[in-house]
Amino acid sequence: MSDRPAVAFPPPPPARDRALWLHVLAAMLLAAGLRAFHLGAQSLWIDELFTWMSADIGRPLAIGTVLENIHGPLFGLLVHLSGAWFGEAEWALRLPSFVAGVAVVPALAWLAARWLGRAAAVWAAWLAAASPFLVWYSQEARGYMLLILCACVASALLAGPVRRDPGSARVPRGRAAAYLVAAGAGLLTSFSFALLAPLHLRWWLAADGMAGPPQARGLGRRLGGAALVALALLLLLSPWAGRVWSTWDWQRLHPSHRATAEEAPLRPGSTFHGAAIPFALHAQAVGYTLGPSLRELRGGEVTAALARHLPALAAVTVVFGVLGAAGLVGLARRRRLLDLLLAIGVPLLLVSLFALRNFKVFHPRYVAVAAPFVLLVVAQGLVTLRRPARIAAALAVAALWAASLGQHYFDPDYAKEDHRGALGLVTARGEPGEKLLAVGADEPVYYYYRGGLPVDRLWLGHAAQPDRLAAELEDRLAGARGTWVVLSRPEGLDAEGVFVRTLAARHPQAEEFRFGGVRVWHVRP
């Protein structure tokens, strides 16, 4: 039997490592600047409006509203507080994500120091500060940045030597309590935090700093402690259990389940694509603003979009391929490959399975808990490379990230849908006797419209029956001097563009306007 510990973590850096903390503080200043710049410049998109609606800004937050929110009740509470203090402007709704995004810098550096050592911690701080993926979610009124923060903190609490009490095999109570708080916050931000459970269980059970493999001493006590923590987390989540059970169709995950003709797909076609995992890794490496834009990919012509951005995709593949390979070599030397498989491979596998079972569509944000570990692979790669190659790789990453952030801030092709501009036009030009018709994503209409026209909506699901769609459209247009039709996000229910063709055929003289992913028509009788 080997005397080596099952998980050989590096010793933590000295408590007063002044140089490391200077790097962390400088990186936090950079992170604050990148995240504050244009924080409220882009319109809120549909998911951010879900956060706005669940936050009950301007009135007391009802307990029923909190219990109905299964997509991040903790983040909804933080947005409610931010709205109470600063109002309902875009930047105010995104402020909790901004704060979490800055806090991720020391959190990821801490995780890197405990898991990989001091040298990786320095690189991790700068990577967390400038990552376009993290900047994107730091400027979005959704809980993914808070989720990533909780993932970093909870993981750091378990990684590295835990300095167990002499003669005890248990994790110290203080650290166990801190982990319980961090994990509870993560689960109340997003249930996808649970994707880290296999990794965290492995670290909890590891007999680090003790002789012999984990089962040799104290495994029963550590299992008992893990069971108590799991029970406490389940009790914390129990008020939302009924809502979770009734919202999702859990039978789709059963191995014997077979889709029937009556089972509606979550998205037209498949909820999973062969390029889903490479796209997720690409997004976590350089964000959504280098390569094909999200609107191009949703447009359906994926092959053509990839061809247009082939040089950028090739550059990303080469730079992060080299760093990824070097990072894997360094992780292998430290015996971290199993940890990495649990941290990145398990979330990708489970989310892919959900998509294949038509339970949940695949999206890189659903594996956001893996993002810290993707950056840590890059950090380890920079540590592993020799100095000339390290400098060249760091400059290459900086160039790619600068290009991505530049397009994030300034290129409208990569921006969220411009509902603010579209509804600003309707507010300015709408006349008495006219009406506003929301088609597709109607939530942004209710947030941005500040005029006095009556608002109606048309469900795009009628596109499956073109004759009924035409009849429903004419019914909505009847009786008004004019109608402002606002269309956004049609690809979910009308990927073939039936509505646009129907409107063009029946009202060819309608005046049309376009605002970055939003189309507006002014239809007169």
Side-chain angles (χ1 to χ4, degrees), residues 133 277-292 312-313 316-317:
F133 185 79
I277 291 178
F279 174 64
L281 295 175
H282 171 89
Q284 294 195 4
V286 296
Y288 300 107
T289 47
L290 190 63
L313 295 173
V316 172
T317 301

Side-chain angles (χ1 to χ4, degrees), residues 154-248:
S155 299
L157 286 166
L158 294 182
V162 297
R163 295 194 179 94
R164 305 181 194 274
D165 298 329
S168 171
R170 294 176 297 180
V171 175
R173 293 178 181 177
R175 179 161 296 191
Y179 174 78
L180 185 61
V181 171
L187 288 169
L188 291 180
T189 299
S190 172
F191 297 139
S192 63
F193 181 89
L195 297 173
L196 291 178
L199 174 69
H200 287 180
L201 181 61
R202 166 175 160 78
W203 283 352
W204 184 283
L205 299 180
D208 51 282
M210 302 173 64
Q215 67 271 23
R217 296 178 58 185
L219 179 61
R221 290 185 178 181
R222 293 193 297 277
L223 280 171
L228 287 175
V229 169
L231 179 60
L233 292 175
L234 289 174
L235 289 174
L236 177 67
L237 298 178
S238 60
W240 291 270
R243 182 75 174 176
V244 168
W245 184 258
S246 62
T247 298
W248 287 307

